[in-house]
Structures are given as C-alpha cells and as structure tokens.
Amino acid sequence: MATAISPSASSPRVRASSATLSASPSQAQNPISLRLYKVLSANFNDDATREALDTLAELYAPPPAAPSGVHRTVKGKEARHDVEADADAEEEHDTTAGTGVRPSGAVAPAGIEESAAGDIAARARKNLRHDVESRLAQSSKQFLTAFGEVDKHLDTLQEHIGLMRVRCDEAQSQLHETNEACKSLLDRAGSLREERQGVAVRQSIISAFLSRFTLSPSEKDAIASRDVPLGPTFFAAMDKAARIQADCRVLLTASLTLPYSSRGEATEDGEDKEDRATKAGRDILAATASQLEQAYDKIFRWCSFEFRQMGKDATLDVSPTMREAVKRLRERPELLMEALTYLSQTRQATLLSSFMDALTRGGPGGLPRPIELHAHDPLRYVGDMLAWVHQAIAAEREFLEGLFGVRDARRMVGAVRAFGASAEDGWVADLVDGAVRGLCGPLKVRVQQTVRSQESSITSYKIANLVQFYLVTMQRTIGKDALLSKTLEELTELAYAVFYGAIEAQGRSLLRVSLDPDDTGVSPPLSILDHAQVLREMMVVYESSLLGDEQEEELQAGFRDILDKMVDPALEMVLTQAEEKKRLRPGWDKAVFVLNTLAYLQSVLEPFAFTTEKRGVVQGLVDAKVLQLIEEHYQDVLKDAGLAEVAAACDGRGANEPLSHTPAAEQAALQAAMHRFSDWLSGLEVVQSRRLGLLTVQSVAARVHQAALERVAETYERVCEEVKRPENKYEAGATLLGSERPFGQVRLLWQIFGLQEREDTGR
C-alpha cells in the first residue's frame, strides 16, 4: 500500500532500482518499472496527499491489543486472507521491518504487533477498492435515510403552506368585502384627517402668534403682581411687551398701506378679514399699553420706596436692578422727576444730619473727633467743614453717576466739568444741588462767625484764600448756579472784605508810626520788617493757591490790590518819616536809609513772579534815590578832594572874566587845591566811601561811587582845560598842573579811579 511507504524513506534497494532503471533503457518500457518509478518519484508532502494518507490510516487502523493471557481467535476466512496477503506484503514488510514503522507511520511493537501490521497492509492493498466502495455505499445509505426524513418533513410543510394559502385567500376576500363596505367611512376619515392637519397648522400658527404678541401668565404676574419683585424676569416681560407693541404698530401700518383689492373677502356679518386683523392689532396694542403702564407704575412705586430708604443706609450702593429701573423710568419723565424729588429730599435730610453729627459728635466711636473741637484754630475749623462738604459732594455725585449710568472717562480730576451735555448730567447737577442745599445755612453761619472774629490780617487772608479755593472747586464740580456755589461766593466776598479792611487798618497804623530821632542807624525800621514779613506770608499763601494755568495778566491781577494796600503805605511811610527825621536830625543820612528800606522791600517782592508791576514801581523810586545819592556823593567827594571851590569858580565866573582873577581859582588857591587833590588821591576814599558802606546792597554802593568818580574826573578835566586856556591868564599853567598828581593827565586819573575800561570806551 502507498501509505506504508514513508515520504522520507530512501533505502539502498530503492536507490539501486533507480540506478538500474536509469542505467538500462530497455527496462524503461517495462510497466512495473514505470509504476515503480512513478511511485518512487511521487511527492507526499502536499496537503491533499497527506490528507488522503491520514484517511487511509484511519480506515485501516489496527485493532487495540488484547490483554495478556487472552488468545484471540481468528476466523478461517480472515486467516486465509492473511495468509494470502502475506505474500503480497512480503516486499513492503521487508522495507518497513528494518525501521519498525507501521503503514500509518506508527512504530510497531515487537513480535505479534509486527505481524499484525503486515497483515493490515496486505489486506489494504488487496481490498482497497472494495473497502472504499463499501464505505461510500454505507455513507450513501445514511444520506438517503436523512433525505427521506427531510422529504417527509417537506411534504408536511407543503400541506401547511396549502392550508395557509387557503386561509389567506379567505382573509383577502373578507378584506375586500370589508373595504367595499367601509369605503365611505374611509373617505370621511381621510377628510377628517386633512381637516385635523389643517386645524393643527392653524393651531400652531395661533400659538406662535399668541406667544409672540401676548404675554404668558407668568409674565403678566411679573408685571402686575406686587408679590413678584423687580428683577430680570420683570424687565424681560417689560421688554417683550414693548417689542409686541412695536411689532403691532409695524403690522398695522403695513395693513393700512395695502391696496383695497388685496384685502380679504367680506364675511357674513359684513366684516372682512383685514378689518378683523386691524381690530385684533388694536386690541393687542391696548392690552400691551395697559400692561406697560402697570409696569411703569410698579417701577415708580419701587423706586420711591427705595429712595426713601436710602437715608437710613450708611453706604450708597447702586444695585443693577435700581440702575435698570431708573433707566426704564426715563420713558416716563413725570414719574421719574417725582421719584427723584423723594430722593433729593431724603438725601438732603441725611446729609444735613450727617453734617451736624460731624460738627458735634464726630465719627463712629468718636473718631474722627468733632469738627467744633478745633474752633480755636480758625483755619483748620473752616478747612475741615469745607473738606467734609466737598467729600460729601464727591460721594453724592459718584452715587448719582452710578444711578444714571453716567461715566465721563475723558474728564481729568480737577478739570472744569461740562454741564448740560446730556439730560443725565442735568439731573445729576440738580440732585447734587438739592442734596447739599441744606448744608448752606449751618456752613454759612459758622464761616461768617469765624471770619468776622479774626484780628490777624494773615489769618484772614488764609481763610479768604481757602474759601476762594473751595469756591473755584465747587464751581467746577456742581456749577456756578448751585446754591452752595453762591453761598461760597458770598463767604469769599465777606472774607476778602474783612481781609482788606484788616490790611487797610494795618496800612493806616503803619503811616502813624514815627521814626526814632535818636536812632542814627540807616537800616529798615522794625515796623517795616514786621509789615514786610506779613506781606511775604501772604505772597507765599497766594503762590501756593495758584493752579498753574493762569495767564500773566490774571496772575498779576489776583494780587494787585493786596500789593497796593500793603506796599504803598510802606513806601509812603518810609518817604514821609525819613523826611521828618531829616528835618529833626539834619546830620542823619536820609538817602542811605531810604535806599536800604526800598532795597529790603524789593528783596521781599523779588522771589514772586506776580509782583513784577510793583517791583517796577519800587525800582523807579530806587533809581530816583540813586541819582539823588550820586549827586550828593559827588558833591561830598568833590569837596573832600579840594576841587569844589575851583569847580564852582569855573561855573560861576563872568563871561569875559579870566579864571585866574577869581579868588577861589587864583594861582595860589589853585596850587593849594591841586595839592589837596593829590593827597586825596593817595587816600582810601578813592577806593571806597564810608557813607556808601552803610548801603545794604553793595552793587548800588559801587554804582554810586563809580558815577561820582566819573563826574570828579570830568570836573578835573574841565579845570585842566580852563587852566590851559590863554584867556584865563595863568602863568605856566601846564607847570602848575604838572606839579601834583595826576600831573594834568586825565587818562592817568581815570586809571587811578579804576575807570580804564570806561575811559577807553567813552573817550
């Protein structure tokens, strides 16, 4: 059998047979050789062959081994077949005996198992076809039996299908009869179905129309019920009512503009569809208007209640609901103004009570302390009251701006506020004015008492300047027409009137001050020093109150009256009292005293830019007094130098009279004068003057001294020219002049005086 040959077996006998077949061509035609060659060259490694071999192995599997001691009896026929198969399987047995492998590939046990395997292989080679056909016949019988059962079941199924066909035919006939009988009902049901669909469409349209043009019960309750507070639900219902009203007006306007031919047909009662639609629109408008009026009335009542409660709260917080309510109430100005009236009255009473508490009780727990505890310090007392009012106005304005939603991001702090730019700005200004209106009375009385009780002019000026500062601030914050601004304006006028009265009285008292005749000093008197110190403090206060954006003229005009009332009496006092003292004490140096006093006043005014005009007036007086002092100093120097009489003779001689015939300028007198002048040039008076050393401003002293020396040099030059003239009949005039310094050389005299540059540029 083919399965008894291992696919990998290659015995020497097979290799020898192959060699013999290939070696002898005559044997290639032998059928046995061809078959052997075919069998030996077959490949048993493919899947189909291996599967066939496995099937044969299962078909001819050996029976299980019998237990030991049990002898198996073999029938005669089977024994005979085994004997006959021995000869056929001898060759195959020879090929497999050496390896001990069964035809199926199993290793045969020794002894009996080897003989049994050989018998099976022999039988398989002999009865293979018969066994296969028997197995196929047996399988076919099994298939026939199974298909017989299936055929029986198919017959039964065919019977059932026939019965079902009969029943379906009966049901079909009954259904046809039923359809014929119910045709009218089906038609009616179809028409009703179509009507139901139409009604459903109309119902959806009506529902959409009602949802768009009417308010839901919850929205109506939100508007009309007092149990529902103001909030997002209320405002949403109000917005919907306003939208319904606007849409109805649009639809009514569109319906009225349609041509008559496009309108609907008339109904039985004579009213067309367009008229009914117009009536429905008017009804919706009327209902919506009534609901909106209820909403506005509810907002008004709520705002009025909330505004009355604001006086009880310490903080002023604006909730989003209140801001939205005020915004909605703008559509009804009369209701808004009435509600704002309640707010103004409440805030006025609250601020007045808070102001009185701040004056008498102070803050919570006594801090800050009551303002009236500082009444002994007038400046702090007035400043604290005005600062409290200003802070209250700022808080009130911030609250109102939050209430109306006004935000001016472009306005800088302290800048002038633009009033009347919008309706909200006007409302804010009016409410702030109404809120602080009650503070004007107590504030005015206390400031008036403080201002009128002051005796010091500087304190009066500080108070007046402080009140004026707050006046400007309030005018920029709440406007010039506000009652508080007008009150502060009155207080400012009163404070300045008191101040001007004080400085006028101070000026009059200064004019009554007399200089001590026994005092030989030339420094400013104590009264002038005190007066100038007060003036300096006033100028410092005024400078600190400037905003920095004033024009030059505005800057000068703001302090002009004060300078006139303070500086003019001082100037008048210096000039008049110096003249009086000079009259009482002729030896007293009036000019130096006046210049020292004017220079001191000028030093007081000089650091401030707004005193330019008054410094010009003082400088004019200084220049006049300097010229006067130059003339006096020139005469003194000329007299000390010994040239006074000679110069007077040159100026006072007759037209045709020789100078040498004048007693003061004769030969001997002139020589004595030149000698005295030469001695004077060697002294310290040429460099400095004792009298000018008393001047507090050394630049003025140098200016006066140089001007006097210039005139002395000019006088000496004129004397030299007169002496050198022949008509004056001097004997050896050049020798007379050259005998003493400066030897008749004017240039040398200029050098001695230190006027070289002046001499070079002037001559």
Side-chain angles (χ1 to χ4, degrees):
M1 185 176 179
T3 57
I5 301 174
S6 175
S8 61
S10 178
S11 64
R13 186 181 299 177
V14 173
R15 288 194 299 268
S17 298
S18 300
T20 304
L21 289 175
S22 60
S24 58
S26 61
Q27 294 180 359
Q29 304 297 327
N30 189 354
I32 298 174
S33 300
L34 293 175
R35 183 161 184 95
L36 288 174
Y37 181 78
K38 182 177 180 181
V39 169
L40 293 175
S41 62
N43 185 13
F44 301 103
N45 291 327
D46 60 296
D47 294 339
T49 302
R50 294 182 67 85
E51 186 178 0
L53 293 176
D54 291 337
T55 303
L56 289 176
E58 292 176 0
L59 180 64
Y60 294 103
S68 63
V70 179
H71 298 279
R72 184 177 55 185
T73 61
V74 182
K75 293 182 179 181
K77 184 178 181 178
E78 294 176 354
R80 188 171 51 249
H81 284 308
D82 294 337
V83 171
E84 292 176 356
D86 290 338
D88 297 332
E90 182 178 0
E91 184 178 357
E92 183 179 2
H93 178 74
D94 293 337
T95 61
T96 59
T99 59
V101 180
R102 293 183 180 184
S104 61
V107 178
I112 297 174
E113 293 182 357
E114 292 180 354
S115 62
D119 294 342
I120 292 171
R123 188 174 65 249
R125 285 193 300 269
K126 184 177 181 180
N127 299 324
L128 176 63
R129 183 182 297 276
H130 180 267
D131 292 338
V132 171
E133 289 177 354
S134 298
R135 178 66 61 89
L136 290 175
Q138 184 179 359
S139 300
S140 299
K141 289 180 181 180
Q142 292 177 356
F143 274 108
L144 289 176
T145 304
F147 280 123
E149 295 293 330
V150 172
D151 186 62
K152 291 179 182 180
H153 289 295
L154 289 175
D155 292 339
T156 304
L157 180 62
Q158 183 67 29
E159 293 177 0
H160 288 298
I161 291 173
L163 292 175
M164 289 179 64
R165 184 180 294 109
V166 172
R167 297 293 184 270
C168 288
D169 292 339
E170 293 176 357
Q172 181 68 25
S173 61
Q174 292 178 359
L175 181 62
H176 181 69
E177 293 175 359
T178 304
N179 287 337
E180 291 294 331
C182 299
K183 185 176 182 180
S184 61
L185 294 177
L186 292 175
D187 294 339
R188 178 62 179 168
S191 62
L192 290 176
R193 188 182 300 107
E194 292 176 356
E195 290 180 2
R196 185 179 64 182
Q197 292 177 353
V199 170
V201 171
R202 287 194 297 271
Q203 183 179 3
S204 63
I205 294 174
I206 293 173
S207 299
F209 177 82
L210 292 177
S211 63
R212 183 175 179 84
F213 289 95
T214 58
L215 298 178
S216 63
S218 61
E219 292 171 339
K220 292 180 181 179
D221 291 339
I223 289 178
S225 177
R226 294 187 177 183
D227 297 332
V228 180
L230 264 68
T233 304
F234 171 81
F235 294 125
M238 193 173 178
D239 290 337
K240 184 177 180 180
R243 186 173 64 252
I244 291 172
Q245 194 176 47
D247 293 343
C248 281
R249 287 172 180 167
V250 172
L251 294 178
L252 287 176
T253 303
S255 65
L256 292 176
T257 56
L258 290 175
Y260 183 78
S261 60
S262 63
R263 299 187 179 183
E265 297 179 356
T267 57
E268 295 179 357
D269 55 356
E271 188 179 34
D272 59 8
K273 297 180 180 179
E274 190 66 26
D275 293 338
R276 286 186 296 176
T278 304
K279 182 179 179 181
R282 288 195 298 267
D283 293 341
I284 292 174
L285 277 178
T288 307
S290 175
Q291 292 167 352
L292 286 177
E293 289 300 327
Q294 291 179 358
Y296 285 122
D297 184 66
K298 185 175 181 178
I299 293 176
F300 167 71
R301 286 185 277 104
W302 184 84
C303 288
S304 299
F305 176 77
E306 292 294 327
F307 289 161
R308 289 190 182 97
Q309 297 299 317
M310 282 185 177
K312 302 177 181 179
D313 299 333
T315 59
L316 294 176
D317 294 332
V318 181
S319 62
T321 302
M322 179 176 291
R323 186 181 297 109
E324 184 66 21
V326 172
K327 180 180 178 181
R328 299 300 180 96
L329 208 58
R330 294 179 191 175
E331 301 296 330
R332 297 294 185 271
E334 63 280 359
L335 297 179
L336 178 60
M337 296 308 298
E338 186 175 353
L340 293 180
T341 301
Y342 296 141
L343 175 62
S344 178
Q345 294 173 355
T346 303
R347 295 306 305 159
Q348 180 178 350
T350 302
L351 286 180
L352 180 58
S353 176
S354 300
F355 183 59
M356 298 307 297
D357 289 343
L359 288 173
T360 57
R361 296 182 181 179
L367 293 175
R369 302 177 67 186
I371 297 176
E372 290 190 348
L373 288 180
H374 306 289
H376 62 280
D377 186 355
L379 193 62
R380 180 176 180 180
Y381 179 52
V382 175
D384 288 349
M385 287 191 294
L386 293 175
W388 191 96
V389 173
H390 181 261
Q391 184 178 2
I393 289 176
E396 197 72 17
R397 187 169 191 89
E398 182 179 0
F399 159 69
L400 293 174
E401 287 178 350
L403 182 64
F404 291 105
V406 178
R407 287 291 182 271
D408 191 1
R410 295 174 297 177
R411 178 180 177 269
M412 299 297 291
V413 177
V416 179
R417 190 181 299 276
F419 298 97
S422 61
E424 291 80 2
D425 290 336
W427 292 337
V428 170
D430 293 340
L431 288 174
V432 172
D433 184 24
V436 300
R437 186 180 295 269
L439 306 179
C440 296
L443 179 66
K444 183 176 181 180
V445 171
R446 285 166 174 78
V447 174
Q448 283 179 346
Q449 292 176 351
T450 305
V451 168
R452 288 171 178 168
S453 62
Q454 299 308 310
E455 297 180 357
S456 172
S457 59
I458 184 61
T459 304
S460 299
Y461 179 67
K462 288 181 179 179
I463 294 175
N465 192 69
L466 178 64
V467 176
Q468 186 182 20
F469 168 76
Y470 276 100
L471 169 63
V472 175
T473 303
M474 294 303 175
Q475 287 178 347
R476 294 184 175 189
T477 304
I478 61 178
K480 296 182 179 180
D481 296 332
L483 181 61
L484 181 60
S485 297
K486 294 180 179 179
T487 302
L488 291 178
E489 186 175 0
E490 295 176 3
L491 293 175
T492 302
E493 293 176 356
L494 174 63
Y496 272 107
V498 172
F499 165 67
Y500 284 131
I503 60 175
E504 287 176 357
Q506 183 176 346
R508 289 192 298 268
S509 63
L510 183 63
L511 291 175
R512 291 194 296 268
V513 174
S514 300
L515 298 178
D516 186 6
D518 298 331
D519 186 10
T520 59
V522 291
S523 58
L526 183 60
S527 58
I528 293 295
L529 296 178
D530 294 340
H531 189 76
Q533 182 62 29
V534 173
L535 177 61
R536 181 184 287 108
E537 293 183 11
M538 292 179 184
M539 290 188 292
V540 170
V541 172
Y542 177 74
E543 187 179 37
S544 64
S545 65
L546 296 176
L547 300 177
D549 57 350
E550 294 86 358
Q551 299 295 329
E552 181 67 24
E553 179 59 29
E554 183 181 0
L555 192 65
Q556 298 283 343
F559 206 71
R560 183 180 292 118
D561 293 341
I562 300 176
L563 287 176
D564 292 341
K565 296 181 183 301
M566 291 293 292
V567 177
D568 291 349
L571 297 177
E572 184 179 356
M573 178 265 181
V574 169
L575 296 177
T576 56
Q577 295 301 321
E579 188 68 28
E580 182 66 22
K581 186 175 181 179
K582 182 67 175 178
R583 186 180 63 82
L584 298 176
R585 192 182 184 91
W588 180 67
D589 199 342
K590 167 192 168 184
V592 174
F593 168 77
V594 172
L595 280 176
N596 286 340
T597 306
L598 294 178
Y600 174 73
L601 292 176
Q602 203 169 23
S603 66
V604 172
L605 299 175
E606 189 173 3
F608 304 98
F610 50 85
T611 60
T612 305
E613 296 180 359
K614 188 55 67 176
R615 277 187 284 139
V617 174
V618 177
Q619 186 62 41
L621 294 175
V622 170
D623 293 340
K625 295 301 178 182
V626 166
L627 293 177
Q628 182 181 353
L629 183 58
I630 289 174
E631 181 64 28
E632 294 179 1
H633 186 55
Y634 163 67
Q635 295 296 335
D636 294 340
V637 171
L638 196 63
K639 184 177 180 181
D640 294 340
L643 297 179
E645 295 180 358
V646 177
C650 292
D651 295 334
R653 66 186 178 88
N656 297 323
E657 182 181 4
L659 184 59
S660 60
H661 294 175
T662 305
E666 59 184 7
Q667 189 84 12
L670 181 60
Q671 187 174 2
M674 291 297 106
H675 178 74
R676 185 177 178 183
F677 183 62
S678 177
D679 293 340
W680 181 81
L681 290 176
S682 301
L684 295 177
E685 292 293 331
V686 178
V687 180
Q688 61 182 1
S689 172
R690 295 180 180 177
R691 180 186 182 187
L692 297 181
L694 298 176
L695 289 173
T696 57
V697 182
Q698 292 302 316
S699 60
V700 175
R703 172 186 170 190
V704 172
H705 192 57
Q706 288 182 359
L709 292 179
E710 288 178 4
R711 293 187 62 181
V712 169
E714 292 173 357
T715 303
Y716 179 76
E717 182 180 6
R718 190 170 70 252
V719 170
C720 292
E721 290 176 355
E722 293 293 337
V723 171
K724 292 178 182 180
R725 287 182 181 179
E727 58 269 18
N728 287 323
K729 299 179 180 181
Y730 280 101
E731 296 180 2
T735 304
L736 178 62
L737 294 174
S739 61
E740 300 290 343
R741 295 176 62 199
F743 313 113
Q745 299 179 12
V746 179
R747 182 181 297 274
L748 179 59
L749 182 60
W750 282 86
Q751 293 177 359
I752 294 173
F753 286 163
L755 306 174
Q756 181 66 36
E757 296 181 0
R758 174 63 179 261
E759 185 270 336
D760 290 341
T761 57
R763 292 178 62 85

